[in-house]
Amino acid sequence: MFQKIFNTATRKKEIFEPIKKGAVGIYVCGITAYDVCHIGHARAAVVFDVVVRYLRSKGYAVTYVKNFTDIDDKIIDRANREGVGFKEISERYIKAHDEDMAALGVITPSVTPRATEHMAEMIALVKNLEEKGYAYCVDGDVYFEIGKYNQYGSLSGRNLEEMMAGARVDVNDKKKNPLDFALWKNSKEGEPFWESPWGKGRPGWHIECSAMSRRYLGETFDIHGGGEDLIFPHHENEIAQSRAASGKPLAHYWIHNGFVKINSEKMSKSLGNIFPVKEILKNYHPEVLRLFMLQSHYRSPVDYSDDSLAEARTSLIRCYTTLKLMKDLKGKLESDSSSASSKNPETVENYLGRFEKLIEKFDEAMDDDFNTAQALGHVFDMIRLTNNFIVDEKNIASSDKTRILAETTKVFDHFGTVLGVLQSDADHFFASDKETELRKRGLNIDEIESLVRQRESARKEKDWARADAIRKELAVLHIVLKDSPHGTSWMIE
RNA sequence: GGCGGCAUAGCCAAGUGGCUAAGGCAGCGGUCUGCAAAACCGUUAUUCCCCGGUUCAAGUCCGGGUGCCGCCUCCA
């Protein structure tokens, strides 16, 4: 099957053809390190994480570059407000970013370049543009002259007249055209600066991505990604700079992820509805957040709310319940020496055949522009099928069970590796979930366990009235009990 | 003002010309259970915002309307 990708540049799904067979170069715009990561950053990170994971699972050697913007107005502002150097701010938030990403199970990109470590490349690029006549210097600022570049607007589907009519562009009389953008900025008194042919200054925002993608992936590479808000002006400007400098296309495929809304509203500082990743992860297992995001297509907006995460948690519990059943059955099989044969040998082949089919369907969904929502549908089909097998288990010979279990494990490994979920041991997952829920609800584990023990002794004495009274008491706290021959376990609903 | 997107069950959400409109959550009936929970089985959209059109065939294409949203300014 071919990999299809919706290319923002053409607004169509296209068949993906890498420049170099078997290899993929992908550049994604990372964060500006001036604050902690919020759920929007998390979505972008998870989306491209899954893209890279899937391409790798298909055998591509993927070089994934995600940058850090570590010098910029907002970083300087924050440093001034706190009375510290800009480096302290950027270091702090890069570190926080790395912690969040690790917690979310996001695989570290192949290269994570920082703007400040590529000054020479940026200066060379700006110089190149100046020499070619695409850039002009005014008072130590260098601007890109869009009038000299006739393809401006190709990515975002705008033309110059429309944008001029829009008129909401910043007023700056140094520029020949209001849409010209800064490649290099003269540094003001007290601001950090680097020496350059235009005097002391610092890079404009867009130039770093052009310089760093070129350094690590070449003049033209396969995929460029980012949030949909970056289409204009950031990516438009990147294309203009790079293409003007090299005469070649910057990237063949442009992928943009949709936004996260909060309770149906746009997330914004003024509404005060920014959710830092760290806050969310206090209340939910990271895979809950991943599952929540992957249940929608990456280009659609997702609407974050407590209810929607709670729902995703329930779904994830369904998955881990099955993984736990598998684990227990595996344990049972190891100490089982019976050699009875299966009642219906064809059912065994039937299971194996259907597992195979689900892997194919999963991959087909992922091939179709990374349709994780559809792929998850097949994951849940696999959950149901595995549960069927577990119900059916008594009729199947041990050797066949072992075979089937090995196969289910393989299937879930594939799904889990691609989506970055189901990566925990089932018992660990439930333990961590229980801990999180207890903390969130302010419940005391000792009290609960004491009641559970009291109920267990009541049950031994067949004092059902007492047992049910305790069940009811715990139910008020949203605690659900599960009796089994080996004792009673509980979890929080 | 310009550009673009979305509208599918109680909720979330796939599906972009053709077998029975995925999947999750919630609900209902059943099996299992001392009672439950989990799991399983069955069930829940004669229909995809509205009106017209194209077609043998449309949720899916075209035209119009209504509603919601995003971008055009730093933003994942």
Side-chain angles (χ1 to χ4, degrees):
Chain A
M1 258 309 270
F2 297 113
Q3 177 70 51
K4 282 186 272 178
I5 294 178
F6 181 89
N7 189 353
T8 307
T10 57
R11 290 171 207 284
K12 278 199 218 72
K13 269 188 212 171
E14 297 175 356
I15 290 173
F16 175 65
E17 290 178 66
I19 294 165
K20 200 176 144 217
K21 194 167 176 284
V24 177
I26 173 167
Y27 185 95
V28 174
C29 293
I31 60 155
T32 299
Y34 76 106
D35 206 345
V36 294
C37 289
H38 54 61
I39 183 167
H41 298 114
R43 184 178 192 197
V46 168
V47 163
F48 291 104
D49 184 49
V50 170
V51 165
V52 170
R53 281 166 176 268
Y54 184 61
L55 292 174
R56 286 192 176 136
S57 92
K58 301 237 302 180
Y60 289 107
V62 179
T63 305
Y64 175 23
V65 182
K66 178 177 159 182
N67 70 300
F68 286 110
T69 299
D70 63 346
I71 177 66
D72 144 287
D73 289 351
K74 292 190 293 293
I75 296 171
I76 295 170
D77 282 352
R78 181 145 197 162
N80 289 153
R81 263 183 290 139
E82 294 190 17
V84 300
F86 80 96
K87 201 92 187 153
E88 186 173 330
I89 299 296
S90 59
E91 291 292 340
R92 181 198 303 163
Y93 292 110
I94 287 172
K95 186 164 167 280
H97 164 275
D98 289 345
E99 288 166 5
D100 288 343
M101 294 302 126
L104 284 170
V106 169
I107 295 173
T108 307
S110 323
V111 190
T112 54
R114 301 178 186 195
T116 56
E117 291 171 0
H118 297 80
M119 282 300 156
E121 287 92 334
M122 286 188 259
I123 289 169
L125 189 54
V126 176
K127 230 173 132 184
N128 178 334
L129 288 168
E130 196 180 32
E131 283 159 9
K132 287 190 167 140
Y134 287 106
Y136 56 93
C137 177
V138 186
D139 305 335
D141 290 342
V142 183
Y143 295 99
F144 184 88
E145 187 169 356
I146 58 161
K148 292 270 170 69
Y149 174 77
N150 56 19
Q151 293 173 77
Y152 195 73
S154 62
L155 178 70
S156 53
R158 302 151 200 255
N159 60 50
L160 286 181
E161 297 76 57
E162 281 165 11
M163 286 187 275
M164 295 304 288
R168 280 219 275 168
V169 280
D170 92 81
V171 182
N172 178 342
D173 27 328
K174 289 184 187 173
K175 295 182 187 176
K176 295 187 185 173
N177 181 315
L179 291 165
D180 289 351
F181 56 90
L183 296 167
W184 188 262
K185 296 175 170 183
N186 187 13
S187 67
K188 298 187 197 97
E189 190 62 34
E191 279 182 354
F193 64 85
W194 285 261
E195 295 291 349
S196 82
W198 314 279
K200 292 177 164 67
R202 58 193 169 90
W205 174 35
H206 316 292
I207 198 72
E208 62 176 274
C209 291
S210 287
M212 295 190 286
S213 64
R214 182 174 186 164
R215 155 105 186 249
Y216 296 103
L217 296 170
E219 288 177 333
T220 302
F221 52 93
D222 297 298
I223 301 172
H224 193 131
E228 66 179 4
D229 56 318
L230 297 179
I231 296 171
F232 189 89
H234 183 53
H235 289 162
E236 198 68 74
N237 292 353
E238 259 186 83
I239 290 173
Q241 293 163 350
S242 291
R243 185 148 201 159
S246 73
K248 295 174 189 157
L250 177 59
H252 285 166
Y253 303 89
W254 289 81
I255 301 180
H256 292 96
N257 67 275
F259 262 38
V260 178
K261 295 195 297 177
I262 308 289
N263 297 314
S264 310
E265 281 179 321
K266 183 186 155 107
M267 178 166 61
S268 77
K269 295 227 155 135
S270 54
L271 287 166
N273 59 359
I274 308 257
F275 284 69
V277 171
K278 277 194 179 57
E279 291 303 311
I280 295 166
L281 295 186
K282 277 184 194 159
N283 290 335
Y284 296 96
H285 190 282
E287 289 188 359
V288 169
L289 191 53
R290 284 187 79 110
L291 190 67
F292 160 69
M293 296 196 277
L294 297 176
Q295 270 168 342
S296 300
H297 186 89
Y298 75 84
R299 278 186 278 118
S300 312
V302 296
D303 195 358
Y304 173 92
S305 69
D306 223 42
D307 285 349
S308 54
L309 276 225
E311 204 173 272
R313 171 180 171 253
T314 310
S315 305
L316 191 62
I317 286 173
R318 177 170 162 83
C319 295
Y320 272 106
T321 301
T322 298
L323 295 189
K324 168 74 173 145
L325 290 170
M326 280 168 58
K327 187 182 171 187
D328 291 349
L329 182 57
K330 214 174 276 181
K332 214 170 81 185
L333 279 173
E334 274 159 20
S335 53
D336 176 27
S337 55
S338 74
S339 57
S341 59
S342 296
K343 287 188 183 161
N344 275 314
E346 63 273 22
T347 63
V348 175
E349 294 310 320
N350 187 23
Y351 276 119
L352 297 176
R354 289 169 76 187
F355 294 162
E356 195 68 24
K357 195 92 198 151
L358 283 174
I359 289 206
E360 281 169 27
K361 285 181 156 177
F362 177 91
D363 282 0
E364 271 172 36
M366 293 301 292
D367 279 338
D368 187 11
D369 193 30
F370 310 102
N371 192 336
T372 55
Q374 192 169 65
L376 275 169
H378 302 309
V379 173
F380 283 102
D381 285 342
M382 183 63 198
I383 293 283
R384 168 156 291 123
L385 195 54
T386 305
N387 287 335
N388 274 318
F389 157 66
I390 285 163
V391 167
D392 219 23
E393 175 256 313
K394 290 165 196 66
N395 301 319
I396 297 172
S398 295
S399 60
D400 287 333
K401 281 189 234 182
T402 306
R403 240 174 101 204
I404 291 174
L405 268 182
E407 205 54 35
T408 55
T409 305
K410 213 179 88 189
V411 176
F412 284 119
D413 273 355
H414 178 63
F415 293 168
T417 307
V418 169
L419 300 176
V421 295
L422 313 183
Q423 299 293 289
S424 275
D425 168 80
D427 290 307
H428 288 164
F429 171 80
F430 285 112
S432 123
D433 180 73
K434 189 178 274 183
E435 201 181 299
T436 306
E437 293 297 319
L438 285 170
R439 191 177 55 234
K440 197 156 79 176
R441 292 155 199 261
L443 297 174
N444 183 310
I445 189 161
D446 296 331
E447 282 171 27
I448 294 165
E449 301 224 303
S450 153
L451 282 168
V452 171
R453 276 194 301 275
Q454 285 175 44
R455 181 170 166 278
E456 278 189 286
S457 38
R459 289 187 72 229
K460 273 198 192 107
E461 292 158 24
K462 298 210 188 302
D463 182 356
W464 305 127
R466 172 90 181 115
D468 289 349
I470 294 173
R471 180 194 288 288
K472 238 179 183 165
E473 194 179 329
L474 289 167
V476 174
L477 304 173
H478 295 101
I479 289 162
V480 183
L481 301 173
K482 180 188 169 193
D483 297 326
S484 82
H486 319 291
T488 298
S489 60
W490 57 276
M491 69 175 299
I492 300 169
E493 203 170 54

